[in-house]
């Protein structure tokens, strides 16, 4: 981590931090043969790398006697990537863990439209089907689309205080 804290005349302050986090031998579930009597085994199956930065800005708009008004702005950028995965992909539990993608990645099949009664269709081995079980078992790496996750997070908070009474308004976003 590398960080910087700053302030100006007790009116404006903030911090900026850049980080790289590596996790190794992360504990998770991996599917195993049902003939073993269990559906999954728990073990050290993955490594992950996360990077990002955090920005925090604080200001005192009014600090006059009993009345105070301050605001706080938070902004974060965060991404992660599975760098090693030794678990299986035969179960819906871990089908979305793919090396080179975020840990909580979402993968979807190509939409094939609707059939004559309005049921959705998908593509399996190039053919249209509504065999949803087969479509769900399809490994994530073979699915047509990877839906990205939010990388940007933030919040803006205003706080109004009079004596010992405070009210805060908070706006939060993900993008």
């Amino acid at each position: 981590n590398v960080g910087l804290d700053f302030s100006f005349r007790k009116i404006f302050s903030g911090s900026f931090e850049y980080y790289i986090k590596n996790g190794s031998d992360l504990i998770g579930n991996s599917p195993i043969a049902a003939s073993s009597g269990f559906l999954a085994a728990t073990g050290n199956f993955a490594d992950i790398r996360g990077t990002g930065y955090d920005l925090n800005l604080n200001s005192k708009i009014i600090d006059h006697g009993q009345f105070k008004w301050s605001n706080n702005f938070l902004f974060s950028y965060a991404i992660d990537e599975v760098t090693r995965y030794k678990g299986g992909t035969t179960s819906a539990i871990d089908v979305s863990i793919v090396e080179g993608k975020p840990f909580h990645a979402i993968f979807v099949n190509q939409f094939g439209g609707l059939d004559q009664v309005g049921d959705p269709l998908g593509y399996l081995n190039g053919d249209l089907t509504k065999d949803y079980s087969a479509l769900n078992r399809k490994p994530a790496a073979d699915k047509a689309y990877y839906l990205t996750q939010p990388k940007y997070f933030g919040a803006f908070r205003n706080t109004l205080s009079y004596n010992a009474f405070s009210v805060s308004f908070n706006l939060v976003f993900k993008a």
Side-chain angles (χ1 to χ4, degrees), residues 87-143:
T89 58
T90 59
S91 167
I93 296 170
D94 292 316
V95 76
S96 65
I97 300 174
V98 175
E99 287 185 18
K101 297 291 184 192
F103 177 70
H104 293 291
I106 298 172
F107 297 88
V108 296
N109 290 301
Q110 183 177 359
F111 180 60
L114 302 175
D115 68 5
Q116 61 275 16
V117 295
D119 291 335
L121 298 169
Y123 286 94
L124 185 63
N125 302 323
D127 296 324
L128 283 174
T129 184
K130 59 182 195 178
D131 182 354
Y132 306 125
S133 295
L135 289 169
N136 285 336
R137 285 192 308 270
K138 188 176 182 182
D142 295 339
K143 294 195 178 186

Side-chain angles (χ1 to χ4, degrees), residues 138-157:
K138 188 176 182 182
D142 295 339
K143 294 195 178 186
Y145 302 105
Y146 157 67
L147 302 177
T148 189
Q149 295 181 332
K151 298 175 187 172
Y152 304 97
F153 306 88
F156 181 71
R157 182 178 67 224

Side-chain angles (χ1 to χ4, degrees), residues 6-162:
F6 53 89
S7 67
F8 178 74
R9 295 187 180 190
K10 297 183 181 181
I11 297 172
F12 182 75
S13 65
S15 63
F16 178 81
E17 181 178 3
Y18 174 78
Y19 61 88
I20 299 172
K21 296 182 180 183
N22 293 310
S24 61
D25 293 326
L26 300 176
I27 297 174
N29 293 323
S30 181
I32 58 175
S35 60
S36 68
F38 299 96
L39 296 177
T42 301
N44 302 85
F45 293 112
D47 294 345
I48 194 168
R49 177 183 174 94
T51 60
Y53 59 85
D54 296 320
L55 175 66
N56 183 2
L57 302 174
N58 305 294
S59 65
K60 292 181 182 177
I61 308 290
I62 297 174
D63 189 358
H64 187 62
Q66 297 173 339
F67 182 70
K68 295 177 173 51
W69 176 22
S70 63
N71 60 34
N72 175 258
F73 176 73
L74 303 168
F75 182 80
S76 293
Y77 170 80
I79 58 172
D80 64 69
E81 176 184 336
V82 175
T83 56
R84 178 185 65 91
Y85 180 64
K86 289 192 175 183
T89 58
T90 59
S91 167
I93 296 170
D94 292 316
V95 76
S96 65
I97 300 174
V98 175
E99 287 185 18
K101 297 291 184 192
F103 177 70
H104 293 291
I106 298 172
F107 297 88
V108 296
N109 290 301
Q110 183 177 359
F111 180 60
L114 302 175
D115 68 5
Q116 61 275 16
V117 295
D119 291 335
L121 298 169
Y123 286 94
L124 185 63
N125 302 323
D127 296 324
L128 283 174
T129 184
K130 59 182 195 178
D131 182 354
Y132 306 125
S133 295
L135 289 169
N136 285 336
R137 285 192 308 270
K138 188 176 182 182
D142 295 339
K143 294 195 178 186
Y145 302 105
Y146 157 67
L147 302 177
T148 189
Q149 295 181 332
K151 298 175 187 172
Y152 304 97
F153 306 88
F156 181 71
R157 182 178 67 224
N158 275 293
T159 303
L160 301 169
S161 301
Y162 184 76

